[in-house]
Amino acid sequence: DARVTQTPRHKVTEMGQEVTMRCQPILGHNTVFWYRQTMMQGLELLAYFRNRAPLDDSGMPKDRFSAEMPDATLATLKIQPSEPRDSAVYFCASGLVAGGTGELFFGEGSRLTVL
Amino acid sequence: DAKTTQPPSMDCAEGRAANLPCNHSTISGNEYVYWYRQIHSQGPQYIIHGLKNNETNEMASLIITEDRKSSTLILPHATLRDTAVYYCIVSGSSGNTGKLIFGQGTTLQVKP
């Protein structure tokens, strides 16, 4: 049963520390998305990639966030330095968009707490 | 992508049909209507999508009005496990970027 895998599931860190979240998209999917969810803002789109190339990262705070896809099986979201306001659940999603149904498959999320 | 409007919350009795409305009056001709749901603490889950025809799958039915300005998601026999936040999203054609912009959704509470 294919699924999007995210690590870590939970992370507690102190302000100023670097945080890296990883995502393994479903094999064969060509588009990967990063979302962030908080109670106040709901689900926000941070960035997304098509065939490993960044399409849009306008939703990310540029000074501290970076997203990459070093290869087709790995997407990373890095925060450096982390701040308490970055506390949220971060979701990765993948899909076969071009010529596909447009359905996105979401991972179970990485819950980040920055103290 | 067009904006959607959904009621913030709804209740439904277990075993009855749940009808969740969505308004998308500014939808354009090549935009699809997608429905996702999010059960507490889990990632969003795809339910169904459509362009202008009504659609049905094993989870739900999607009814889109002829002018495409509104739609209704129907869960035919709601169970307690259908309690979740339901998101109606309008997005570009399936061959487009595929990005989804989530609103606040409708919290559906299925009661015994």
Side-chain angles (χ1 to χ4, degrees), chain A residues 16-63:
Chain A
Q17 296 298 305
E18 177 178 303
V19 175
T20 298
M21 289 167 276
R22 294 176 174 82
C23 168
Q24 180 177 356
I26 293 173
L27 189 65
H29 283 183
N30 61 356
T31 309
V32 174
F33 299 81
W34 282 105
Y35 286 86
R36 175 173 65 182
Q37 186 170 34
T38 61
M39 288 292 292
M40 293 298 294
Q41 299 297 326
L43 275 160
E44 301 173 279
L45 177 63
L46 297 177
Y48 59 103
F49 297 78
R50 171 72 55 81
N51 296 323
R52 295 177 54 202
L55 285 189
D56 187 354
D57 62 359
S58 59
M60 284 197 320
K62 297 290 190 305
D63 56 339

mmCIF file of all heavy atoms in Angstrom, chain A residues 16-63:
data_model
loop_
_atom_site.group_PDB
_atom_site.id
_atom_site.type_symbol
_atom_site.label_atom_id
_atom_site.label_comp_id
_atom_site.label_asym_id
_atom_site.label_seq_id
_atom_site.Cartn_x
_atom_site.Cartn_y
_atom_site.Cartn_z
ATOM 1 N N GLY A 16 16.279 28.687 17.897
ATOM 2 C CA GLY A 16 17.616 28.898 17.356
ATOM 3 C C GLY A 16 18.246 27.664 16.746
ATOM 4 O O GLY A 16 19.216 27.759 15.990
ATOM 5 N N GLN A 17 17.685 26.503 17.054
ATOM 6 C CA GLN A 17 18.234 25.260 16.519
ATOM 7 C C GLN A 17 17.754 25.030 15.084
ATOM 8 O O GLN A 17 16.695 25.511 14.665
ATOM 9 C CB GLN A 17 17.823 24.069 17.384
ATOM 10 C CG GLN A 17 18.371 24.121 18.794
ATOM 11 C CD GLN A 17 19.880 24.086 18.807
ATOM 12 O OE1 GLN A 17 20.507 23.182 18.242
ATOM 13 N NE2 GLN A 17 20.485 25.087 19.432
ATOM 14 N N GLU A 18 18.556 24.255 14.345
ATOM 15 C CA GLU A 18 18.171 23.871 12.983
ATOM 16 C C GLU A 18 17.260 22.652 13.032
ATOM 17 O O GLU A 18 17.490 21.732 13.820
ATOM 18 C CB GLU A 18 19.422 23.549 12.165
ATOM 19 C CG GLU A 18 19.121 23.078 10.750
ATOM 20 C CD GLU A 18 20.387 22.802 9.952
ATOM 21 O OE1 GLU A 18 21.210 23.716 9.819
ATOM 22 O OE2 GLU A 18 20.538 21.660 9.468
ATOM 23 N N VAL A 19 16.240 22.664 12.184
ATOM 24 C CA VAL A 19 15.295 21.551 12.100
ATOM 25 C C VAL A 19 15.210 21.106 10.645
ATOM 26 O O VAL A 19 15.066 21.945 9.743
ATOM 27 C CB VAL A 19 13.890 21.973 12.578
ATOM 28 C CG1 VAL A 19 12.895 20.839 12.379
ATOM 29 C CG2 VAL A 19 13.928 22.396 14.046
ATOM 30 N N THR A 20 15.312 19.816 10.431
ATOM 31 C CA THR A 20 15.143 19.269 9.081
ATOM 32 C C THR A 20 14.050 18.213 9.109
ATOM 33 O O THR A 20 14.097 17.275 9.904
ATOM 34 C CB THR A 20 16.442 18.642 8.557
ATOM 35 O OG1 THR A 20 17.451 19.657 8.478
ATOM 36 C CG2 THR A 20 16.226 18.066 7.159
ATOM 37 N N MET A 21 13.067 18.396 8.244
ATOM 38 C CA MET A 21 11.988 17.426 8.090
ATOM 39 C C MET A 21 12.126 16.769 6.729
ATOM 40 O O MET A 21 12.474 17.434 5.740
ATOM 41 C CB MET A 21 10.629 18.122 8.225
ATOM 42 C CG MET A 21 10.344 18.553 9.647
ATOM 43 S SD MET A 21 8.964 19.677 9.836
ATOM 44 C CE MET A 21 9.777 21.233 9.483
ATOM 45 N N ARG A 22 11.865 15.479 6.706
ATOM 46 C CA ARG A 22 12.067 14.702 5.476
ATOM 47 C C ARG A 22 10.780 14.057 5.008
ATOM 48 O O ARG A 22 9.901 13.716 5.818
ATOM 49 C CB ARG A 22 13.148 13.643 5.701
ATOM 50 C CG ARG A 22 14.524 14.234 5.947
ATOM 51 C CD ARG A 22 15.571 13.180 6.269
ATOM 52 N NE ARG A 22 16.893 13.770 6.358
ATOM 53 C CZ ARG A 22 17.372 14.395 7.426
ATOM 54 N NH1 ARG A 22 16.623 14.514 8.502
ATOM 55 N NH2 ARG A 22 18.599 14.900 7.409
ATOM 56 N N CYS A 23 10.709 13.865 3.709
ATOM 57 C CA CYS A 23 9.503 13.295 3.100
ATOM 58 C C CYS A 23 9.914 12.361 1.976
ATOM 59 O O CYS A 23 10.733 12.718 1.114
ATOM 60 C CB CYS A 23 8.617 14.415 2.555
ATOM 61 S SG CYS A 23 7.267 13.867 1.479
ATOM 62 N N GLN A 24 9.357 11.155 1.995
ATOM 63 C CA GLN A 24 9.541 10.223 0.895
ATOM 64 C C GLN A 24 8.230 10.163 0.128
ATOM 65 O O GLN A 24 7.235 9.616 0.625
ATOM 66 C CB GLN A 24 9.929 8.841 1.399
ATOM 67 C CG GLN A 24 10.142 7.829 0.293
ATOM 68 C CD GLN A 24 10.601 6.477 0.812
ATOM 69 O OE1 GLN A 24 10.828 6.299 1.996
ATOM 70 N NE2 GLN A 24 10.744 5.523 -0.078
ATOM 71 N N PRO A 25 8.180 10.747 -1.071
ATOM 72 C CA PRO A 25 6.922 10.723 -1.821
ATOM 73 C C PRO A 25 6.643 9.331 -2.382
ATOM 74 O O PRO A 25 7.519 8.454 -2.354
ATOM 75 C CB PRO A 25 7.171 11.720 -2.956
ATOM 76 C CG PRO A 25 8.648 11.757 -3.124
ATOM 77 C CD PRO A 25 9.245 11.468 -1.778
ATOM 78 N N ILE A 26 5.444 9.130 -2.861
ATOM 79 C CA ILE A 26 5.078 7.866 -3.467
ATOM 80 C C ILE A 26 5.841 7.698 -4.783
ATOM 81 O O ILE A 26 5.919 8.637 -5.591
ATOM 82 C CB ILE A 26 3.564 7.783 -3.688
ATOM 83 C CG1 ILE A 26 2.852 7.727 -2.334
ATOM 84 C CG2 ILE A 26 3.182 6.577 -4.541
ATOM 85 C CD1 ILE A 26 1.339 7.801 -2.401
ATOM 86 N N LEU A 27 6.396 6.516 -4.987
ATOM 87 C CA LEU A 27 7.189 6.228 -6.178
ATOM 88 C C LEU A 27 6.377 6.490 -7.441
ATOM 89 O O LEU A 27 5.239 6.033 -7.563
ATOM 90 C CB LEU A 27 7.641 4.768 -6.140
ATOM 91 C CG LEU A 27 8.647 4.330 -7.193
ATOM 92 C CD1 LEU A 27 9.965 5.068 -6.992
ATOM 93 C CD2 LEU A 27 8.864 2.817 -7.137
ATOM 94 N N GLY A 28 6.969 7.283 -8.344
ATOM 95 C CA GLY A 28 6.285 7.572 -9.596
ATOM 96 C C GLY A 28 5.549 8.904 -9.599
ATOM 97 O O GLY A 28 5.168 9.397 -10.668
ATOM 98 N N HIS A 29 5.317 9.476 -8.427
ATOM 99 C CA HIS A 29 4.674 10.787 -8.379
ATOM 100 C C HIS A 29 5.656 11.862 -8.804
ATOM 101 O O HIS A 29 6.833 11.811 -8.464
ATOM 102 C CB HIS A 29 4.143 11.068 -6.976
ATOM 103 C CG HIS A 29 2.883 10.336 -6.675
ATOM 104 N ND1 HIS A 29 2.203 10.488 -5.483
ATOM 105 C CD2 HIS A 29 2.151 9.461 -7.415
ATOM 106 C CE1 HIS A 29 1.115 9.735 -5.506
ATOM 107 N NE2 HIS A 29 1.063 9.100 -6.658
ATOM 108 N N ASN A 30 5.135 12.866 -9.526
ATOM 109 C CA ASN A 30 6.028 13.880 -10.074
ATOM 110 C C ASN A 30 5.920 15.230 -9.373
ATOM 111 O O ASN A 30 6.665 16.141 -9.691
ATOM 112 C CB ASN A 30 5.753 14.069 -11.569
ATOM 113 C CG ASN A 30 4.329 14.546 -11.842
ATOM 114 O OD1 ASN A 30 3.515 14.665 -10.944
ATOM 115 N ND2 ASN A 30 4.040 14.828 -13.096
ATOM 116 N N THR A 31 4.996 15.350 -8.428
ATOM 117 C CA THR A 31 4.799 16.643 -7.773
ATOM 118 C C THR A 31 4.763 16.449 -6.267
ATOM 119 O O THR A 31 4.097 15.535 -5.774
ATOM 120 C CB THR A 31 3.490 17.305 -8.253
ATOM 121 O OG1 THR A 31 3.468 17.306 -9.680
ATOM 122 C CG2 THR A 31 3.387 18.739 -7.764
ATOM 123 N N VAL A 32 5.502 17.281 -5.560
ATOM 124 C CA VAL A 32 5.592 17.199 -4.097
ATOM 125 C C VAL A 32 5.270 18.564 -3.506
ATOM 126 O O VAL A 32 5.756 19.586 -3.994
ATOM 127 C CB VAL A 32 7.000 16.754 -3.651
ATOM 128 C CG1 VAL A 32 7.128 16.803 -2.132
ATOM 129 C CG2 VAL A 32 7.292 15.344 -4.158
ATOM 130 N N PHE A 33 4.450 18.552 -2.459
ATOM 131 C CA PHE A 33 4.013 19.775 -1.793
ATOM 132 C C PHE A 33 4.400 19.731 -0.329
ATOM 133 O O PHE A 33 4.369 18.678 0.304
ATOM 134 C CB PHE A 33 2.484 19.911 -1.865
ATOM 135 C CG PHE A 33 1.935 19.990 -3.259
ATOM 136 C CD1 PHE A 33 1.740 18.841 -4.015
ATOM 137 C CD2 PHE A 33 1.573 21.205 -3.811
ATOM 138 C CE1 PHE A 33 1.226 18.902 -5.293
ATOM 139 C CE2 PHE A 33 1.048 21.279 -5.095
ATOM 140 C CZ PHE A 33 0.877 20.131 -5.833
ATOM 141 N N TRP A 34 4.704 20.900 0.231
ATOM 142 C CA TRP A 34 4.871 21.072 1.672
ATOM 143 C C TRP A 34 3.789 22.026 2.175
ATOM 144 O O TRP A 34 3.621 23.135 1.633
ATOM 145 C CB TRP A 34 6.239 21.645 2.020
ATOM 146 C CG TRP A 34 7.373 20.678 1.977
ATOM 147 C CD1 TRP A 34 8.345 20.571 1.025
ATOM 148 C CD2 TRP A 34 7.677 19.675 2.959
ATOM 149 N NE1 TRP A 34 9.223 19.568 1.340
ATOM 150 C CE2 TRP A 34 8.837 19.003 2.533
ATOM 151 C CE3 TRP A 34 7.086 19.283 4.176
ATOM 152 C CZ2 TRP A 34 9.426 17.967 3.248
ATOM 153 C CZ3 TRP A 34 7.665 18.251 4.888
ATOM 154 C CH2 TRP A 34 8.831 17.604 4.426
ATOM 155 N N TYR A 35 3.063 21.579 3.208
ATOM 156 C CA TYR A 35 2.051 22.398 3.862
ATOM 157 C C TYR A 35 2.379 22.525 5.340
ATOM 158 O O TYR A 35 3.036 21.662 5.925
ATOM 159 C CB TYR A 35 0.658 21.757 3.747
ATOM 160 C CG TYR A 35 0.010 21.830 2.381
ATOM 161 C CD1 TYR A 35 0.275 20.871 1.412
ATOM 162 C CD2 TYR A 35 -0.889 22.848 2.079
ATOM 163 C CE1 TYR A 35 -0.337 20.935 0.169
ATOM 164 C CE2 TYR A 35 -1.508 22.913 0.841
ATOM 165 C CZ TYR A 35 -1.220 21.951 -0.112
ATOM 166 O OH TYR A 35 -1.842 22.016 -1.335
ATOM 167 N N ARG A 36 1.872 23.595 5.946
ATOM 168 C CA ARG A 36 1.990 23.792 7.384
ATOM 169 C C ARG A 36 0.597 24.024 7.946
ATOM 170 O O ARG A 36 -0.212 24.749 7.336
ATOM 171 C CB ARG A 36 2.875 25.018 7.670
ATOM 172 C CG ARG A 36 2.967 25.401 9.120
ATOM 173 C CD ARG A 36 3.985 26.499 9.343
ATOM 174 N NE ARG A 36 3.635 27.764 8.706
ATOM 175 C CZ ARG A 36 4.421 28.842 8.745
ATOM 176 N NH1 ARG A 36 5.583 28.790 9.360
ATOM 177 N NH2 ARG A 36 4.043 29.957 8.141
ATOM 178 N N GLN A 37 0.309 23.429 9.099
ATOM 179 C CA GLN A 37 -1.014 23.598 9.706
ATOM 180 C C GLN A 37 -0.894 24.070 11.137
ATOM 181 O O GLN A 37 -0.200 23.458 11.957
ATOM 182 C CB GLN A 37 -1.812 22.290 9.665
ATOM 183 C CG GLN A 37 -3.247 22.455 10.145
ATOM 184 C CD GLN A 37 -4.086 21.231 9.887
ATOM 185 O OE1 GLN A 37 -3.606 20.104 9.948
ATOM 186 N NE2 GLN A 37 -5.367 21.428 9.575
ATOM 187 N N THR A 38 -1.567 25.156 11.445
ATOM 188 C CA THR A 38 -1.697 25.659 12.804
ATOM 189 C C THR A 38 -3.168 25.915 13.080
ATOM 190 O O THR A 38 -3.984 26.005 12.147
ATOM 191 C CB THR A 38 -0.921 26.976 13.012
ATOM 192 O OG1 THR A 38 -1.469 27.970 12.103
ATOM 193 C CG2 THR A 38 0.558 26.807 12.736
ATOM 194 N N MET A 39 -3.506 26.047 14.347
ATOM 195 C CA MET A 39 -4.893 26.321 14.703
ATOM 196 C C MET A 39 -5.341 27.666 14.144
ATOM 197 O O MET A 39 -6.464 27.812 13.675
ATOM 198 C CB MET A 39 -5.055 26.307 16.225
ATOM 199 C CG MET A 39 -4.971 24.937 16.846
ATOM 200 S SD MET A 39 -6.380 23.912 16.393
ATOM 201 C CE MET A 39 -7.706 24.768 17.246
ATOM 202 N N MET A 40 -4.446 28.630 14.192
ATOM 203 C CA MET A 40 -4.821 29.990 13.780
ATOM 204 C C MET A 40 -4.932 30.132 12.271
ATOM 205 O O MET A 40 -5.845 30.766 11.762
ATOM 206 C CB MET A 40 -3.794 30.995 14.316
ATOM 207 C CG MET A 40 -3.792 31.133 15.824
ATOM 208 S SD MET A 40 -5.370 31.752 16.449
ATOM 209 C CE MET A 40 -5.375 33.391 15.747
ATOM 210 N N GLN A 41 -3.989 29.551 11.531
ATOM 211 C CA GLN A 41 -3.906 29.785 10.086
ATOM 212 C C GLN A 41 -4.464 28.653 9.244
ATOM 213 O O GLN A 41 -4.641 28.791 8.029
ATOM 214 C CB GLN A 41 -2.449 30.042 9.675
ATOM 215 C CG GLN A 41 -1.827 31.260 10.343
ATOM 216 C CD GLN A 41 -2.531 32.545 9.962
ATOM 217 O OE1 GLN A 41 -3.019 32.693 8.836
ATOM 218 N NE2 GLN A 41 -2.602 33.464 10.891
ATOM 219 N N GLY A 42 -4.726 27.504 9.861
ATOM 220 C CA GLY A 42 -5.185 26.373 9.070
ATOM 221 C C GLY A 42 -4.054 25.797 8.238
ATOM 222 O O GLY A 42 -2.877 25.897 8.603
ATOM 223 N N LEU A 43 -4.413 25.196 7.102
ATOM 224 C CA LEU A 43 -3.432 24.580 6.207
ATOM 225 C C LEU A 43 -2.899 25.620 5.229
ATOM 226 O O LEU A 43 -3.654 26.189 4.455
ATOM 227 C CB LEU A 43 -4.069 23.428 5.428
ATOM 228 C CG LEU A 43 -4.096 22.076 6.102
ATOM 229 C CD1 LEU A 43 -5.144 21.188 5.461
ATOM 230 C CD2 LEU A 43 -2.727 21.417 6.028
ATOM 231 N N GLU A 44 -1.587 25.840 5.272
ATOM 232 C CA GLU A 44 -0.957 26.815 4.379
ATOM 233 C C GLU A 44 0.017 26.091 3.460
ATOM 234 O O GLU A 44 0.804 25.267 3.911
ATOM 235 C CB GLU A 44 -0.149 27.837 5.180
ATOM 236 C CG GLU A 44 -0.916 28.634 6.197
ATOM 237 C CD GLU A 44 0.039 29.478 7.024
ATOM 238 O OE1 GLU A 44 0.654 28.924 7.970
ATOM 239 O OE2 GLU A 44 0.199 30.678 6.713
ATOM 240 N N LEU A 45 -0.014 26.456 2.187
ATOM 241 C CA LEU A 45 0.929 25.902 1.235
ATOM 242 C C LEU A 45 2.253 26.651 1.341
ATOM 243 O O LEU A 45 2.294 27.876 1.216
ATOM 244 C CB LEU A 45 0.370 26.024 -0.188
ATOM 245 C CG LEU A 45 1.266 25.540 -1.322
ATOM 246 C CD1 LEU A 45 1.554 24.046 -1.200
ATOM 247 C CD2 LEU A 45 0.605 25.844 -2.665
ATOM 248 N N LEU A 46 3.331 25.900 1.575
ATOM 249 C CA LEU A 46 4.648 26.527 1.712
ATOM 250 C C LEU A 46 5.431 26.518 0.408
ATOM 251 O O LEU A 46 6.000 27.528 -0.009
ATOM 252 C CB LEU A 46 5.460 25.806 2.789
ATOM 253 C CG LEU A 46 4.914 25.837 4.213
ATOM 254 C CD1 LEU A 46 5.805 25.000 5.126
ATOM 255 C CD2 LEU A 46 4.805 27.263 4.715
ATOM 256 N N ALA A 47 5.492 25.345 -0.227
ATOM 257 C CA ALA A 47 6.304 25.200 -1.430
ATOM 258 C C ALA A 47 5.893 23.938 -2.169
ATOM 259 O O ALA A 47 5.278 23.044 -1.584
ATOM 260 C CB ALA A 47 7.791 25.107 -1.062
ATOM 261 N N TYR A 48 6.236 23.880 -3.480
ATOM 262 C CA TYR A 48 6.007 22.632 -4.187
ATOM 263 C C TYR A 48 6.961 22.470 -5.354
ATOM 264 O O TYR A 48 7.522 23.452 -5.853
ATOM 265 C CB TYR A 48 4.556 22.452 -4.616
ATOM 266 C CG TYR A 48 3.958 23.492 -5.512
ATOM 267 C CD1 TYR A 48 3.790 23.263 -6.877
ATOM 268 C CD2 TYR A 48 3.492 24.691 -4.985
ATOM 269 C CE1 TYR A 48 3.193 24.201 -7.683
ATOM 270 C CE2 TYR A 48 2.902 25.637 -5.791
ATOM 271 C CZ TYR A 48 2.741 25.390 -7.135
ATOM 272 O OH TYR A 48 2.151 26.336 -7.939
ATOM 273 N N PHE A 49 7.142 21.233 -5.749
ATOM 274 C CA PHE A 49 8.115 20.839 -6.755
ATOM 275 C C PHE A 49 7.429 20.011 -7.838
ATOM 276 O O PHE A 49 6.523 19.243 -7.573
ATOM 277 C CB PHE A 49 9.212 19.956 -6.127
ATOM 278 C CG PHE A 49 10.029 20.640 -5.071
ATOM 279 C CD1 PHE A 49 9.533 20.814 -3.786
ATOM 280 C CD2 PHE A 49 11.296 21.112 -5.359
ATOM 281 C CE1 PHE A 49 10.289 21.441 -2.814
ATOM 282 C CE2 PHE A 49 12.064 21.733 -4.382
ATOM 283 C CZ PHE A 49 11.553 21.897 -3.111
ATOM 284 N N ARG A 50 7.903 20.173 -9.043
ATOM 285 C CA ARG A 50 7.496 19.309 -10.155
ATOM 286 C C ARG A 50 8.749 18.724 -10.757
ATOM 287 O O ARG A 50 9.658 19.456 -11.159
ATOM 288 C CB ARG A 50 6.739 20.132 -11.211
ATOM 289 C CG ARG A 50 6.443 19.388 -12.514
ATOM 290 C CD ARG A 50 5.370 18.341 -12.355
ATOM 291 N NE ARG A 50 4.151 18.871 -11.823
ATOM 292 C CZ ARG A 50 3.226 19.519 -12.535
ATOM 293 N NH1 ARG A 50 3.398 19.707 -13.824
ATOM 294 N NH2 ARG A 50 2.142 19.937 -11.967
ATOM 295 N N ASN A 51 8.784 17.369 -10.815
ATOM 296 C CA ASN A 51 9.979 16.674 -11.320
ATOM 297 C C ASN A 51 11.253 17.202 -10.656
ATOM 298 O O ASN A 51 12.272 17.433 -11.306
ATOM 299 C CB ASN A 51 10.078 16.815 -12.844
ATOM 300 C CG ASN A 51 8.919 16.144 -13.554
ATOM 301 O OD1 ASN A 51 8.447 15.087 -13.143
ATOM 302 N ND2 ASN A 51 8.434 16.774 -14.614
ATOM 303 N N ARG A 52 11.163 17.402 -9.350
ATOM 304 C CA ARG A 52 12.255 17.834 -8.469
ATOM 305 C C ARG A 52 12.601 19.312 -8.609
ATOM 306 O O ARG A 52 13.373 19.834 -7.815
ATOM 307 C CB ARG A 52 13.518 17.000 -8.706
ATOM 308 C CG ARG A 52 13.370 15.526 -8.343
ATOM 309 C CD ARG A 52 14.638 14.767 -8.682
ATOM 310 N NE ARG A 52 15.794 15.393 -8.059
ATOM 311 C CZ ARG A 52 17.046 15.227 -8.497
ATOM 312 N NH1 ARG A 52 17.290 14.481 -9.554
ATOM 313 N NH2 ARG A 52 18.058 15.812 -7.874
ATOM 314 N N ALA A 53 12.034 20.014 -9.575
ATOM 315 C CA ALA A 53 12.326 21.447 -9.732
ATOM 316 C C ALA A 53 11.328 22.268 -8.926
ATOM 317 O O ALA A 53 10.124 21.996 -8.973
ATOM 318 C CB ALA A 53 12.269 21.844 -11.199
ATOM 319 N N PRO A 54 11.807 23.271 -8.181
ATOM 320 C CA PRO A 54 10.876 24.107 -7.415
ATOM 321 C C PRO A 54 9.987 24.924 -8.334
ATOM 322 O O PRO A 54 10.476 25.579 -9.252
ATOM 323 C CB PRO A 54 11.810 24.999 -6.584
ATOM 324 C CG PRO A 54 13.119 24.986 -7.309
ATOM 325 C CD PRO A 54 13.219 23.677 -8.001
ATOM 326 N N LEU A 55 8.661 24.850 -8.096
ATOM 327 C CA LEU A 55 7.725 25.633 -8.890
ATOM 328 C C LEU A 55 7.329 26.924 -8.184
ATOM 329 O O LEU A 55 7.149 27.954 -8.818
ATOM 330 C CB LEU A 55 6.470 24.826 -9.205
ATOM 331 C CG LEU A 55 6.567 23.734 -10.262
ATOM 332 C CD1 LEU A 55 5.167 23.199 -10.590
ATOM 333 C CD2 LEU A 55 7.242 24.242 -11.515
ATOM 334 N N ASP A 56 7.182 26.833 -6.888
ATOM 335 C CA ASP A 56 6.705 27.993 -6.143
ATOM 336 C C ASP A 56 7.054 27.804 -4.676
ATOM 337 O O ASP A 56 6.714 26.773 -4.106
ATOM 338 C CB ASP A 56 5.186 28.140 -6.314
ATOM 339 C CG ASP A 56 4.641 29.420 -5.711
ATOM 340 O OD1 ASP A 56 5.399 30.156 -5.048
ATOM 341 O OD2 ASP A 56 3.439 29.698 -5.905
ATOM 342 N N ASP A 57 7.745 28.740 -4.109
ATOM 343 C CA ASP A 57 8.009 28.701 -2.660
ATOM 344 C C ASP A 57 7.599 30.022 -2.020
ATOM 345 O O ASP A 57 8.136 30.424 -0.995
ATOM 346 C CB ASP A 57 9.470 28.372 -2.374
ATOM 347 C CG ASP A 57 10.426 29.416 -2.922
ATOM 348 O OD1 ASP A 57 9.948 30.399 -3.541
ATOM 349 O OD2 ASP A 57 11.636 29.256 -2.738
ATOM 350 N N SER A 58 6.640 30.692 -2.637
ATOM 351 C CA SER A 58 6.238 32.012 -2.146
ATOM 352 C C SER A 58 5.558 31.954 -0.785
ATOM 353 O O SER A 58 5.445 32.962 -0.100
ATOM 354 C CB SER A 58 5.308 32.687 -3.157
ATOM 355 O OG SER A 58 4.162 31.903 -3.382
ATOM 356 N N GLY A 59 5.110 30.775 -0.362
ATOM 357 C CA GLY A 59 4.467 30.656 0.936
ATOM 358 C C GLY A 59 5.433 30.503 2.096
ATOM 359 O O GLY A 59 5.013 30.482 3.249
ATOM 360 N N MET A 60 6.709 30.402 1.784
ATOM 361 C CA MET A 60 7.707 30.168 2.833
ATOM 362 C C MET A 60 8.388 31.453 3.254
ATOM 363 O O MET A 60 8.691 32.287 2.409
ATOM 364 C CB MET A 60 8.824 29.252 2.309
ATOM 365 C CG MET A 60 8.457 27.825 2.219
ATOM 366 S SD MET A 60 9.908 26.743 2.082
ATOM 367 C CE MET A 60 10.985 27.618 1.015
ATOM 368 N N PRO A 61 8.657 31.596 4.578
ATOM 369 C CA PRO A 61 9.543 32.682 5.014
ATOM 370 C C PRO A 61 10.941 32.419 4.474
ATOM 371 O O PRO A 61 11.593 31.459 4.868
ATOM 372 C CB PRO A 61 9.510 32.564 6.550
ATOM 373 C CG PRO A 61 8.343 31.710 6.872
ATOM 374 C CD PRO A 61 8.144 30.796 5.702
ATOM 375 N N LYS A 62 11.386 33.261 3.557
ATOM 376 C CA LYS A 62 12.619 32.981 2.823
ATOM 377 C C LYS A 62 13.869 33.041 3.680
ATOM 378 O O LYS A 62 14.861 32.376 3.392
ATOM 379 C CB LYS A 62 12.786 33.976 1.667
ATOM 380 C CG LYS A 62 11.720 33.910 0.611
ATOM 381 C CD LYS A 62 11.826 32.629 -0.196
ATOM 382 C CE LYS A 62 10.917 32.676 -1.414
ATOM 383 N NZ LYS A 62 9.515 32.962 -1.042
ATOM 384 N N ASP A 63 13.844 33.835 4.713
ATOM 385 C CA ASP A 63 15.071 34.043 5.460
ATOM 386 C C ASP A 63 15.456 32.848 6.307
ATOM 387 O O ASP A 63 16.623 32.664 6.644
ATOM 388 C CB ASP A 63 14.955 35.302 6.342
ATOM 389 C CG ASP A 63 13.752 35.242 7.271
ATOM 390 O OD1 ASP A 63 12.817 34.487 6.987
ATOM 391 O OD2 ASP A 63 13.754 35.982 8.282
#
